[in-house]
Amino acid sequence: MKNILDIKSPCCSQARAVKSEFGLKNHGLKNLGTVFWNLPTEALYEEALFRREGALVTGGALVVNTGKHTARAASDKFIVCEPSSQNLIWWGEYNRPFDPEKFSLLYARLLGYLQGHDLFVQDVYACAHPQYRLPVRIITEKAWHSLFARNMFIKPKTHDEMRRFVPQFVLICAPDFVSAPEIDSTASETFIVVDFFKRVAIIGGTAYAGEIKKTVFTVLNHLLVFEGVLPMHCSANMGQNGDVALFFGLSGTGKTSLSADPKRSLIGDDEHGWGEDGVFNFEDGCYAKVIALSPKAEPQIWQAIRKFGAILENVVFDPVTRLTDLDDDRFTENTRASYPLDFIENAQPQRMGGHPSNIIMLTCDASGVMPPIAKLSVEQALYHFISGYTAKVSGTEIGMKREPEITFSACFGAPFMVRHPSVYAELLKAKILRHGTRCWLVNTGWVGGPYGVGKRISIHYTRAMLDAVLSSKLEDVPYRRDPVFGFEVPTKCPNVPDEILDPSNAWPDKQAYNQRYRDLASRFIQNFKKFALDCPKEVIKAGPTI
């Protein structure tokens, strides 16, 4: 906000109380309005409400509206093509090259735009593991974006640490600043551009907070590979005996819901690294999809989003009663909640765990033909990891239809993967073999027919199958070999009816089921052709056969 009238906002007197000695002039930012350094949650609430950025609702959450962008602008993301990284980047649909000179010009215009504006700074860390921790400075126009950064990342523990903070990566988010596509060579007025050489990322033209989170994830997906760490788009939890489970999957497949298990401690809900001594969270918060959230099926998340400090994006509420309506999708189906991980009662305090005993790859099969659970060999696990099959659930990316779209997203997170998928797959293979990790494919999609005909599998059955996996109760049950994909499908599972385990049972027409299954297999085969040159033969052979 450009404070032309020099109006004093609630926290002006505390704005510089914990200012870093490494100031914003180091990033080219000068002639600014008031800069608010590392404000706590309460102060950011005051600033956000004073600036009319959001509203307070029952329970204490802050509701905000992100305007025209209610999802990620995947087609507006760019990586600066410069000598130090250009030969390492997986250039293509998700990593579009951006000219260094164009970036310098766009950055200079952004700096000019921000002159006279009030700004909010949060100096935070990405990565719970101290060996891999990355100091990140997040500079925002909006107070609520600063609160989002504070929710999502790891905060310095003392004021002295804040004053001595020196960032190794800087992210500037200015939603009210737009690019000029004809000058800047952007795809639209919205842009998300990362420069690995200058160690800076800039976001403009969108207020969707997920861009901040996913830009930091993108940065880590590049940098941590140098450390031998596998960056993963997954949630993670840990049992009472220390066994760790990973849940890979795109948005809408159940990563957050299924990992929030009252019987297990939550390490994190979305982004993790697998290093030499185990798994660690990249973040310190959760960013859950909350459309039609159920207090019965997802009680922990239901409670978390009602606490003071939570941010609700594009959630509908009654301005008189201040009650929220999580079933109302008038703004978007991609309604979101950001909250600190501590809001989950059994969150793991260190945000770290040992090497995983089980990896669960979540797929939301809109075709209604995949089995609800299958055991994978190492080669099959790599094949499905590289394939990343699922259905995009409406609203998670701009331009998506309401009907789920079948998609293949490499490593279950292609939009954020900077390196070629084979690089991440090789790291995964080495770690699975070294630590004897068991791998599973779990379908959280439709049964009895495709979307519009069948129905989505009950989360209660999915939880029962996961309980059986994590308690080793599927070790001694009978299995059948799937005739198309070759993986092993259990024919018995505690607390799950036998007929649920075979999806063909729910189809009234077995011939239609078989045809749809073969069609899906064909799409797998066609998709994998673009990775075949970089994959071992045994991984290619682990795919489906028709």
Side-chain angles (χ1 to χ4, degrees):
M1 183 180 81
K2 201 163 189 174
N3 194 352
I4 299 173
L5 300 178
D6 195 28
I7 297 171
K8 299 301 180 184
S9 64
C11 302
C12 280
S13 60
Q14 301 96 50
R16 296 167 60 87
V18 284
K19 174 186 178 297
S20 169
E21 295 171 4
F22 192 87
L24 297 190
K25 288 183 179 179
N26 292 283
H27 317 308
L29 288 157
K30 55 187 179 182
N31 302 325
L32 302 170
T34 304
V35 179
F36 298 87
W37 288 84
N38 298 307
L39 291 184
T41 298
E42 294 79 3
L44 289 169
Y45 257 70
E46 291 178 4
E47 287 292 329
L49 294 172
F50 177 81
R51 294 161 192 266
R52 297 183 179 275
E53 294 177 4
L56 205 61
V57 294
T58 302
L62 180 71
V63 173
V64 297
N65 191 288
T66 62
K68 71 173 184 177
H69 286 310
T70 58
R72 287 185 294 104
S75 61
D76 293 306
K77 174 189 165 189
F78 300 90
I79 306 288
V80 175
C81 185
E82 45 78 27
S84 72
S85 62
Q86 65 181 11
N87 294 328
L88 301 173
I89 305 299
W90 179 36
W91 300 112
E93 178 185 2
Y94 296 113
N95 298 305
R96 298 169 181 83
F98 203 79
D99 181 80
E101 291 186 10
K102 291 284 187 182
F103 178 78
S104 296
L105 291 172
L106 181 59
Y107 188 70
R109 286 180 43 236
L110 173 61
L111 297 181
Y113 162 81
L114 291 173
Q115 291 192 33
H117 279 68
D118 292 351
L119 293 178
F120 296 85
V121 180
Q122 288 290 330
D123 286 333
V124 293
Y125 300 104
C127 297
H129 198 302
Q131 182 179 340
Y132 308 112
R133 188 163 290 177
L134 180 71
V136 181
R137 172 164 290 168
I138 299 177
I139 304 165
T140 63
E141 269 190 298
K142 306 289 186 184
W144 80 265
H145 279 153
S146 195
L147 176 60
F148 178 85
R150 188 174 181 82
N151 277 354
M152 298 308 300
F153 298 103
I154 301 162
K155 296 166 284 296
K157 288 183 168 52
T158 66
H159 286 176
D160 186 53
E161 188 178 356
M162 294 177 191
R163 295 186 182 102
R164 292 184 288 103
F165 190 93
V166 178
Q168 292 181 19
F169 218 98
V170 177
L171 188 153
I172 303 174
C173 179
D176 294 335
F177 174 76
V178 297
S179 66
E182 65 279 6
I183 298 173
D184 300 313
S185 299
T186 53
S188 72
E189 292 183 337
T190 300
F191 61 88
I192 304 98
V193 190
V194 179
D195 188 326
F196 285 112
F197 180 72
K198 294 181 177 179
R199 295 229 162 186
V200 65
I202 55 177
I203 300 171
T206 173
Y208 181 64
E211 300 289 13
I212 297 173
K213 163 189 167 65
K214 291 304 185 186
T215 298
V216 175
F217 185 37
T218 299
V219 169
L220 294 173
N221 284 335
H222 177 62
L223 298 180
L224 287 177
V225 173
F226 293 112
E227 306 283 340
V229 173
L230 172 64
M232 304 174 292
H233 188 211
C234 71
S235 57
N237 64 23
M238 184 166 62
Q240 294 181 355
N241 61 356
D243 64 297
V244 171
L246 303 181
F247 301 79
F248 284 93
L250 292 184
S251 176
T253 55
K255 288 197 316 301
T256 300
S257 298
L258 294 172
S259 58
D261 185 338
K263 300 186 294 296
R264 299 172 64 85
S265 60
L266 181 66
I267 299 173
D269 83 320
D270 196 41
E271 300 163 4
H272 293 79
W274 188 352
E276 281 301 305
D277 51 2
V279 170
F280 57 92
N281 197 343
F282 286 169
E283 303 174 314
D284 196 31
C286 297
Y287 191 49
K289 191 172 181 181
V290 295
I291 191 71
L293 190 74
S294 165
K296 185 176 180 180
E298 296 139 322
Q300 291 186 307
I301 301 172
W302 176 270
Q303 292 296 329
I305 67 172
R306 280 161 170 73
K307 294 184 178 180
F308 178 85
I311 303 169
L312 302 180
E313 278 187 343
N314 304 309
V315 169
V316 175
F317 71 97
D318 186 317
V320 177
T321 65
R322 296 303 171 109
L323 295 173
T324 56
D325 184 354
L326 298 181
D327 296 322
D328 194 328
D329 62 356
R330 73 180 68 174
F331 299 129
T332 178
E333 287 194 19
N334 191 38
T335 52
R336 291 278 175 171
S338 162
Y339 50 89
L341 197 60
D342 285 336
F343 282 13
I344 301 295
E345 289 185 7
N346 59 338
Q348 210 279 337
Q350 286 75 39
R351 318 301 191 232
M352 296 191 291
H355 299 289
S357 303
N358 290 282
I359 289 175
I360 293 97
M361 297 182 183
L362 300 170
T363 181
C364 176
D365 176 32
S367 298
V369 292
M370 295 287 277
I373 188 168
K375 184 165 64 174
L376 305 175
S377 67
V378 174
E379 292 75 22
Q380 288 168 344
L382 296 178
Y383 184 92
H384 285 275
F385 175 72
I386 293 172
S387 297
Y389 166 67
T390 192
K392 287 183 182 178
V393 179
S394 62
T396 54
E397 286 184 14
I398 291 170
M400 285 182 56
K401 303 172 184 176
R402 292 182 69 88
E403 181 177 329
E405 300 176 36
I406 288 177
T407 189
F408 293 90
S409 186
C411 310
F412 293 98
F416 328 114
M417 299 299 167
V418 183
R419 306 293 188 91
H420 191 277
S422 62
V423 174
Y424 303 111
E426 281 300 312
L427 279 169
L428 179 62
K429 177 183 178 180
K431 292 179 183 298
I432 289 174
L433 291 174
R434 182 176 178 183
H435 302 290
T437 306
R438 297 181 294 272
C439 300
W440 308 82
L441 185 70
V442 171
N443 173 23
T444 61
W446 278 259
V447 293
Y451 173 85
V453 177
K455 62 179 181 179
R456 198 155 184 187
I457 191 169
S458 166
I459 191 172
H460 300 291
Y461 288 143
T462 301
R463 287 192 185 280
M465 288 181 275
L466 290 176
D467 286 344
V469 165
L470 301 178
S471 60
S472 301
K473 292 179 181 176
L474 291 186
E475 294 295 309
D476 300 318
V477 301
Y479 285 80
R480 64 174 178 85
R481 186 177 183 276
D482 186 272
V484 176
F485 280 84
F487 39 50
E488 299 294 315
V489 179
T491 58
K492 298 282 185 183
C493 180
N495 302 314
V496 179
D498 293 351
E499 59 270 18
I500 295 292
L501 299 171
D502 185 349
S504 67
N505 290 328
W507 281 64
D509 186 340
K510 293 295 179 68
Q511 186 174 352
Y513 166 82
N514 290 329
Q515 183 59 49
R516 182 62 72 102
Y517 205 13
R518 289 194 294 270
D519 290 345
L520 178 61
S522 296
R523 296 184 70 160
F524 265 87
I525 293 167
Q526 186 63 32
N527 171 73
F528 208 83
K529 287 179 180 178
K530 59 189 175 187
F531 305 114
L533 287 175
D534 298 290
C535 290
K537 291 182 180 179
E538 59 269 22
V539 174
I540 299 171
K541 290 181 179 179
T545 56
I546 303 174

